[in-house]
Amino acid sequence: MSTATRVGAVIITMGNRPDELRALLDSVAKQDGDRVEVVVVGNGSPVPDVPAGVRTVELPENLGIPGGRNVGIEAFGPGGTDVDVLLFLDDDGLLAHHDTAELCRRAFADDPELGIISFRIADPDTGETQRRHVPRLRASDPMRSSRVTTFLGGANAVRTKVLAEVGGLPDAFFYAHEETDLAWRALDAGWMIDYRSDMVLYHPTTAPSRHAVYHRMVARNRVWLARRNLPAPLVPVYLGVWMLLTLLRRPSRAALRAWFGGFGEGWRSPCGPRRPMRWRTVWRLTRLGRPPVI
């Protein structure tokens, strides 16, 4: 991979943030180096007006975040193979700097094992990064770049060889934990993931619980994630730890009821193919600072 690395970008939208989408597209167009090709996917809605040269796909129904992004991947050929790297960007985000695409090209060229880069998300007004947006347990210093075990879904870059090797995002998840599912499969295949504090996406500070389905899907998908990817002895440990953490956070009665409903749904419903990671991947995750029990 060289400076001629082909870079694309996938953006999904519900069509309800046209001004923010246009600002994001402008920030992508201003990237240094070769042009970044862009596909905007209308996830069950029409796509607002976009600049010339931006491709669009309008889906008749909302396929959820992973489903919509997978459609965007395929718009770049089977598995995204028309390009070497794909950026996945939230439609209300904004690339803070003009050199992000070039930094991605350089990072992937310099490190053949690097499969995924997680950008730093910062509030556009304060510049602050929420702790939950630093994808590691030791998250107190968002300015420290490091190897990590997962990534942020709406602010990242993925080498398309990873998608060709391990597949895309899990459609059925719809919302929550789909990034970790892909991250674990990539790590099990030998790829690495970096968190880069110098690659910044501006995004307004929000709470994930603003989504009505948050508590149910977080719990359901957590169970699916474990059932799909963890060695059998670790499944009850991982889910037990997360149940305890949920209770310690003292959610409201309604939130807790939704969480336990989703937890039960995760056990009752099909989760897709089970491909447990190897124990050496468990050890790799542990060495990277996040054993797959938390």
Side-chain angles (χ1 to χ4, degrees), residues 39 163 245:
V39 169
L163 301 172
L245 288 173

Side-chain angles (χ1 to χ4, degrees), residues 26-162:
D26 288 345
S27 73
V28 174
K30 293 175 181 176
Q31 291 299 297
D32 299 337
D34 294 340
R35 179 185 175 190
V36 177
E37 300 293 332
V38 181
V39 169
V40 178
V41 178
N43 213 356
S45 68
V47 175
D49 289 338
V50 296
V54 173
R55 288 182 285 163
T56 62
V57 180
E58 294 186 353
L59 303 177
E61 61 178 315
N62 182 357
L63 300 182
I65 294 173
R69 287 184 176 143
N70 283 338
V71 169
I73 292 169
E74 294 303 309
F76 286 98
T81 49
D82 289 349
V83 292
D84 303 300
V85 173
L86 279 174
L87 312 181
F88 294 91
L89 307 170
D90 276 352
D91 69 339
D92 56 345
L94 181 76
L95 289 174
H97 309 300
H98 294 179
D99 63 350
T100 302
E102 283 289 270
L103 288 173
C104 286
R105 292 184 179 101
R106 194 177 310 152
F108 286 119
D110 290 347
D111 186 352
E113 292 186 341
L114 181 62
I116 302 172
I117 300 172
S118 190
F119 300 167
R120 181 167 65 90
I121 293 180
D123 185 273
D125 297 320
T126 66
E128 294 182 358
T129 297
Q130 292 180 272
R131 187 181 183 91
R132 70 183 182 89
H133 284 152
V134 182
R136 58 177 178 245
L137 291 179
R138 296 178 179 177
S140 59
D141 182 8
M143 301 307 295
R144 178 173 67 87
S145 299
S146 69
R147 294 285 203 200
V148 290
T149 62
T150 188
F151 62 99
L152 306 175
N156 65 79
V158 179
R159 194 191 296 261
T160 53
K161 285 184 179 179
V162 174

Side-chain angles (χ1 to χ4, degrees), residues 215-217 219-221 223 257-267:
H215 296 287
R216 179 177 70 86
M217 289 198 171
R220 183 198 68 180
N221 292 359
V223 177
R257 187 165 52 247
W259 192 93
F260 274 105
F263 190 84
E265 182 184 349
W267 285 107

